[in-house]
């Protein structure tokens, strides 16, 4: 049984619209090579890693098409697959996917150390809006450009380690981690793009980093998993995205965090066994969970009235 995994989060500094996918992939290979020198076995790249965070801009169908990948790997990304296989380093990569029948998803894949795609995820929680909100610093058009994910919250085997994947906004929803932990996930990997400005998202600037890290830490602790999160960070065409790429332990503690908003590798050798005490005590799911009392979570989507009481409060 594998007990150690050397995990790297590859934070990618801003990607301007003018940058080609070839140039971006060259940056990713440099990060991968740096991670390999620290013996990384799995490198986590961000959400929509290959391009600028295009959902900030209202574009018509023709204009946005260039941001989508119609196959994976393809000639732009093949050099990353080749170099990773040469170095025997696996990776998680977020990208915009267009299927052969024209559906578009915000997707991530898990590639093993031999270069084979062993996992796929399509973002379930799409934030933002689909209408054209003009006159703002930027928009957040994930609901316009992507369909909701349809592959569930899968858990995949990565050389003996059970890995769950999600993408950005998913990290803020507790159901995501729990769905994967119930399938035995040991590590949850995710990429993100968190802009300073999102229409309709009221949050103090200082709280942006706090709520990002809080989500990772709570997800890790409450589910006895490691969480590795890589952001696309810094400025893209003048629009700022937060940094804070990090690896978090099942204790909820941050093991390592990027210190910049540029291309940066953070590597941590994690001891997967260190999750065991949590799984056997406070979060022994089989002993303590009450799924019979949680049906409202899947039955109800939005906030509503209290459920009718099935007992007399005075008895
Ligand atoms: N890419 C992405 O999902 N970003 C969102 C922005 C906030 S939407 C309220 C995030 O959760 O970081």
């Amino acid at each position: 049984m594998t007990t150690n995994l050397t995990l790297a989060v590859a934070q990618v500094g801003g990607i301007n619209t003018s940058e080609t996918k070839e140039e971006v992939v060259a940056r990713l290979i440099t990060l991968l090579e740096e991670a390999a020198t620290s013996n990384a076995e799995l490198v986590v790249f961000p959400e929509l890693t290959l391009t600028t965070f295009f959902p900030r801009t209202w574009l018509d169908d023709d204009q946005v098409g260039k941001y989508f990948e119609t196959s994976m790997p393809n000639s732009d990304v093949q050099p990353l697959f080749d170099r990773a296989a040469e170095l025997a380093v696996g990776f998680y990569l977020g990208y915009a996917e267009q299927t052969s029948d024209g559906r578009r998803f915000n997707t991530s894949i898990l590639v093993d150390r031999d270069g084979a795609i062993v996992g796929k995820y399509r973002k379930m929680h799409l934030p933002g809006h689909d209408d054209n909100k003009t006159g703002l610093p930027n928009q957040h058009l994930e609901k316009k450009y992507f369909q909701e994910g349809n592959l569930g919250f899968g858990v995949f085997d990565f050389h003996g380690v059970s890995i769950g994947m999600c993408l950005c906004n998913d990290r803020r929803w507790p159901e995501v981690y729990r769905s994967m932990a119930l399938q035995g996930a040991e590590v949850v990997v995710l990429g993100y793009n968190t802009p300073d400005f999102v229409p309709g998202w009221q949050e103090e600037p200082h709280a942006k980093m706090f709520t990002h890290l809080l989500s990772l830490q709570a997800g890790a602790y409450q589910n006895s998993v490691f969480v590795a999160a890589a952001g696309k960070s810094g400025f893209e065409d003048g629009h700022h995205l937060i940094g804070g790429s990090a690896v978090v332990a099942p204790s909820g503690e941050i093991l390592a965090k990027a210190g910049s908003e540029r291309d940066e590798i953070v590597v941590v050798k994690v001891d997967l066994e260190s999750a065991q005490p949590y799984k056997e005590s406070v979060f022994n799911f089989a002993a303590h969970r009450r799924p019979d009392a949680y049906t409202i979570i899947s039955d109800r989507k939005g906030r509503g009235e209290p459920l009718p009481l099935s007992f007399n409060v005075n008895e």
Side-chain angles (χ1 to χ4, degrees):
M1 185 184 155
T2 311
T3 58
N4 289 321
L5 179 69
T6 306
L7 263 173
V9 287
Q11 181 169 280
V12 177
I15 298 173
N16 292 319
T17 314
S18 57
E19 209 164 333
T20 65
K21 283 182 191 166
E22 195 184 357
E23 289 167 338
V24 173
V25 167
R27 283 169 64 182
L28 304 186
I29 290 173
T30 301
L31 285 164
L32 185 100
E33 287 172 341
E34 189 186 332
T37 62
S38 301
N39 302 315
E41 295 164 272
L42 174 60
V43 177
V44 182
F45 290 112
E47 175 192 43
L48 302 175
T49 313
L50 302 171
T51 66
T52 197
F53 187 65
F54 61 87
R56 75 169 62 88
T57 311
W58 182 270
L59 300 165
D60 65 31
D61 232 40
D62 289 346
Q63 293 169 309
V64 83
K66 67 177 181 201
Y67 293 119
F68 284 80
E69 313 303 318
T70 53
S71 59
M72 188 56 66
N74 55 41
S75 56
D76 288 323
V77 189
Q78 191 63 51
L80 176 67
F81 275 73
D82 292 344
R83 189 67 180 127
E86 244 170 61
L87 295 169
V89 179
F91 62 93
Y92 159 106
L93 182 76
Y95 66 99
E97 176 194 11
Q98 180 167 321
T99 64
S100 53
D101 58 4
R103 289 170 300 143
R104 288 171 171 170
F105 296 99
N106 188 341
T107 296
S108 63
I109 47 169
L110 182 66
V111 178
D112 74 8
R113 300 180 70 185
D114 305 314
I117 296 176
V118 294
K120 183 164 182 168
Y121 173 75
R122 288 175 174 157
K123 188 172 182 180
M124 300 286 265
H125 299 94
L126 294 176
H129 52 100
D130 61 5
D131 57 324
N132 193 4
K133 295 186 190 297
T134 54
L136 299 171
N138 57 261
Q139 307 202 42
H140 198 103
L141 291 158
E142 290 196 57
K143 286 194 190 297
K144 168 176 162 65
Y145 295 132
F146 305 115
Q147 294 187 19
E148 288 181 336
N150 59 354
L151 303 179
F153 298 106
V155 172
F156 307 96
D157 177 58
F158 180 85
H159 306 281
V161 182
S162 293
I163 307 257
M165 287 190 275
C166 66
L167 279 158
C168 197
N169 191 254
D170 290 318
R171 74 195 188 287
R172 305 183 191 274
W173 298 92
E175 295 87 350
V176 173
Y177 304 90
R178 185 54 55 89
S179 299
M180 296 191 281
L182 283 166
Q183 300 172 70
E186 298 171 279
V187 182
V188 174
V189 291
L190 66 100
Y192 63 93
N193 286 269
T194 299
D196 281 0
F197 178 77
V198 177
W201 187 17
Q202 307 298 329
E203 190 170 50
E204 292 290 322
H206 72 269
K208 282 252 151 57
M209 181 59 71
F210 174 73
T211 57
H212 154 65
L213 294 173
L214 175 70
S215 300
L216 306 183
Q217 293 180 259
Y221 171 63
Q222 292 171 345
N223 295 285
S224 310
V225 294
F226 289 87
V227 176
K232 194 136 63 53
S233 310
F235 285 92
E236 297 192 327
D237 296 330
H239 301 273
H240 184 253
L241 303 156
I242 68 165
S245 302
V247 179
V248 179
S251 61
E253 292 166 293
I254 296 171
L255 297 176
K257 182 161 84 66
S260 77
E261 292 187 338
R262 297 184 299 275
D263 290 7
E264 182 177 341
I265 279 286
V266 173
V267 184
V268 185
K269 184 174 181 178
V270 302
D271 174 9
L272 298 168
E273 274 300 294
S274 65
Q276 209 52 33
Y278 293 96
K279 290 181 186 170
E280 288 170 6
S281 59
V282 56
F283 294 120
N284 182 335
F285 286 174
H288 307 305
R289 287 185 77 249
R290 292 292 313 277
D292 55 305
Y294 309 148
T295 53
I296 191 170
I297 291 174
S298 53
D299 288 350
R300 192 180 278 188
K301 184 168 177 177
R303 291 178 180 82
E305 294 298 314
L307 293 174
L309 296 183
S310 58
F311 58 92
N312 182 339
V313 294
N314 295 308
E315 276 176 14

